[in-house]
Amino acid sequence: MRTSVVAAVALAALGLTACGSGTDSGKGGGTDDTLVVGATAVPAGEVLTYVKEHLAAEAGLKLEIKEFTDYVLPNTALQEGELDANLYQNQPYLDDFNKSRGTDLVPVVKPYLPPMGVYSHKAKRVTRLADGATVAVPNDTTNEGRALRLLAAGGLVELKPGAGADASPADIAANPRHLRFKELEAAQLPRSLDDVDAAVINNNYAQDAGLSPTEDAILLESAKDNPYANLLAVKRGNEDDPRVRKLAKLLVSPEVRTFLQDRYHGSVLPVTGG
């Protein structure tokens, strides 16, 4: 994939890499009829590539994809008008980002859930984690809270009543296995598996590292009543952009549902009704 000039300049300042899929078309924000969408590589980038290659032309949509390796820059680029939309985050993360960064981004549609999982090179079952095991978790507020809720669902810890999406280790009411927590940037978690007993890893970073959520995770989120479906987001006021509406419709189409099922075999789950 060719590197976008705009994204490359922004990312160079942060020491990150953004890869553009398709031709460069300048800044987003509707400067031409091409919809510029930011995404992390897996699954968002793959889903958007499928849409671009198989569905967009018939729907009258010109689509450019810019891939990012972190969770912050796709939102700042969207707020600043370098993107028209992005696909990679969930509602709790978006809410926290808007609150902490002063951005004004809103959801349009929620096409799929990439379940978070617990992975380990040292234990084949979550019940086999040793007493006092070190568990690495994401260090951003929303994903750390999500990780702790997953550990609680697996019976490893108990959270205080009322602990919400921003739960931290301080909200743990009971820790019968005396787990120790190591907070790391989400993208670093797969590389930490040789140094910790287990790590709670976001789906996209797990798959980027060659991990299969359905085969390798020793504990995996359930889709039932799960608030962490990924969403297509835009800057407030652009929800009814005709290009955005076309993409939103395609993302919840039967064709994309079939692609998700065939490509990910349960590692990424379609969300009924978007």
Side-chain angles (χ1 to χ4, degrees), residues 176-187:
R177 294 177 179 267
H178 308 100
L179 300 180
R180 294 175 293 177
F181 297 97
K182 186 173 184 178
E183 297 169 311
L184 296 173
E185 184 181 349

Side-chain angles (χ1 to χ4, degrees), residues 42-121:
V42 182
E46 293 181 346
V47 173
L48 290 169
T49 297
Y50 172 80
V51 170
K52 179 178 180 178
E53 294 179 351
H54 298 277
L55 306 175
E58 186 174 347
L61 176 66
K62 294 182 181 179
L63 190 62
E64 179 184 347
I65 306 160
K66 294 183 179 179
E67 291 185 357
F68 295 84
T69 59
D70 81 320
Y71 286 163
V72 174
L73 202 59
N75 273 346
T76 57
L78 180 57
Q79 179 69 26
E80 293 167 3
E82 295 172 10
L83 301 172
D84 297 306
N86 66 38
L87 176 66
Y88 76 102
Q89 65 193 311
N90 55 58
Q91 189 69 56
Y93 183 85
L94 178 62
D95 291 343
D96 180 71
F97 196 96
N98 279 333
K99 182 179 179 180
S100 63
R101 303 270 180 157
T103 48
D104 193 19
L105 310 178
V106 295
V108 178
V109 70
K110 299 177 181 179
Y112 58 80
L113 169 74
M116 178 179 268
V118 180
Y119 299 83
S120 176
H121 286 172

Side-chain angles (χ1 to χ4, degrees), residues 116 137-138 143-154 157-159 166-172 181 200:
M116 178 179 268
V137 296
N143 282 306
E144 182 172 51
R146 182 181 181 183
L148 293 176
R149 291 175 66 177
L150 175 57
L151 295 173
V157 298
E158 181 181 331
L159 297 178
D166 59 351
S168 73
D171 293 301
I172 294 175
F181 297 97
V200 190

Side-chain angles (χ1 to χ4, degrees), residues 57-264:
E58 186 174 347
L61 176 66
K62 294 182 181 179
L63 190 62
E64 179 184 347
I65 306 160
K66 294 183 179 179
E67 291 185 357
F68 295 84
T69 59
D70 81 320
Y71 286 163
V72 174
L73 202 59
N75 273 346
T76 57
L78 180 57
Q79 179 69 26
E80 293 167 3
E82 295 172 10
L83 301 172
D84 297 306
N86 66 38
L87 176 66
Y88 76 102
Q89 65 193 311
N90 55 58
Q91 189 69 56
Y93 183 85
L94 178 62
D95 291 343
D96 180 71
F97 196 96
N98 279 333
K99 182 179 179 180
S100 63
R101 303 270 180 157
T103 48
D104 193 19
L105 310 178
V106 295
V108 178
V109 70
K110 299 177 181 179
Y112 58 80
L113 169 74
M116 178 179 268
V118 180
Y119 299 83
S120 176
H121 286 172
K122 300 178 182 178
K124 293 186 177 181
R125 293 195 299 271
V126 72
T127 54
R128 290 296 187 89
L129 285 174
D131 187 83
T134 297
V135 179
V137 296
N139 65 0
D140 64 274
T141 301
T142 302
N143 282 306
E144 182 172 51
R146 182 181 181 183
L148 293 176
R149 291 175 66 177
L150 175 57
L151 295 173
L156 295 174
V157 298
E158 181 181 331
L159 297 178
K160 296 176 182 177
D166 59 351
S168 73
D171 293 301
I172 294 175
N175 184 3
R177 294 177 179 267
H178 308 100
L179 300 180
R180 294 175 293 177
F181 297 97
K182 186 173 184 178
E183 297 169 311
L184 296 173
E185 184 181 349
Q188 297 178 359
L189 289 165
R191 298 192 295 272
S192 76
L193 284 171
D194 288 332
D195 302 316
V196 297
D197 296 290
V200 190
I201 305 176
N202 290 81
N203 186 287
N204 63 305
Y205 291 130
Q207 294 201 57
D208 280 347
L211 297 168
S212 166
T214 52
E215 296 178 8
D216 298 321
I218 60 174
L219 180 64
L220 195 64
E221 278 182 327
S222 167
K224 184 178 180 180
D225 300 323
N226 195 308
Y228 294 105
N230 278 186
L231 55 87
L232 179 71
V234 298
K235 191 172 182 179
R236 187 179 301 277
N238 294 333
E239 302 95 315
D240 293 324
D241 182 321
R243 303 167 303 162
V244 172
R245 301 313 309 180
K246 286 178 182 178
L247 178 58
K249 184 176 181 180
L250 293 176
L251 286 172
V252 294
S253 65
E255 292 86 350
V256 167
R257 173 178 288 273
T258 299
F259 169 77
L260 292 170
Q261 293 167 339
D262 292 346
R263 173 70 177 84
Y264 299 109

